Amino acid sequence: EVHVEESGGGLVQAGESLRLSCVASGFTFRTHWMYWIRQAPGKGLEWVATINGGGGGTKYYADSVTGRFTISRDNSKNMAYLEMNSLKPEDTAVYYCVAYVMGDVVKVVAQRLGYWGQGTQVTVSS
């Protein structure tokens, strides 16, 4: 059975940091690309970051988080991470971890393909 679970969300003040974790099981983790997707209150899904399968040497970020967020993975633990620094109120959202077999953010966000977690709430106060 496939299982993806996020943790690490919470309430922080603007400028502070959080580290989100994602643990996965039930599929070959190392071969899957990992995504962080978020959904702010009343808005649609927004892609945040992607890391490629295998060694994870290729990373992509949305313009809104470039320079502040860092995605990483540890294949030995079947885990992915999102380090979030200099948080802003506009980063407030439910953050989802997604595993998908290829690097195709359109399929993940628009078609909701892949294995999705239940999400973790991040709230940034001003």
Side-chain angles (χ1 to χ4, degrees), residues 2-126:
V2 171
H3 184 71
V4 177
E5 183 175 354
E6 307 89 343
S7 62
L11 172 63
V12 297
Q13 293 189 334
E16 294 185 340
S17 300
L18 276 177
R19 187 193 196 205
L20 304 184
S21 298
C22 171
V23 62
S25 61
F27 61 95
T28 306
F29 179 82
R30 68 180 183 276
T31 63
H32 281 64
W33 293 57
M34 298 302 297
Y35 300 75
W36 286 97
I37 308 294
R38 67 186 181 185
Q39 186 166 28
K43 296 188 177 181
L45 295 172
E46 178 189 15
W47 167 70
V48 175
T50 301
I51 186 167
N52 68 308
T58 302
K59 305 175 183 181
Y60 302 95
Y61 298 95
D63 289 343
S64 58
V65 306
T66 296
R68 299 188 299 122
F69 290 12
T70 302
I71 189 172
S72 61
R73 65 189 298 157
D74 184 341
N75 292 336
S76 69
K77 299 179 180 178
N78 279 16
M79 294 197 70
Y81 306 95
L82 186 68
E83 185 75 36
M84 304 185 296
N85 298 317
S86 302
L87 282 162
K88 305 174 181 180
E90 50 264 44
D91 294 318
T92 295
V94 176
Y95 284 71
Y96 297 94
C97 175
V98 185
Y100 188 53
V101 294
M102 64 181 67
D104 192 329
V105 67
V106 172
K107 284 185 165 62
V108 172
V109 177
Q111 303 179 30
R112 295 213 65 168
L113 297 183
Y115 304 127
W116 287 67
Q118 292 299 306
T120 186
Q121 177 70 48
V122 172
T123 302
V124 185
S125 63
S126 57

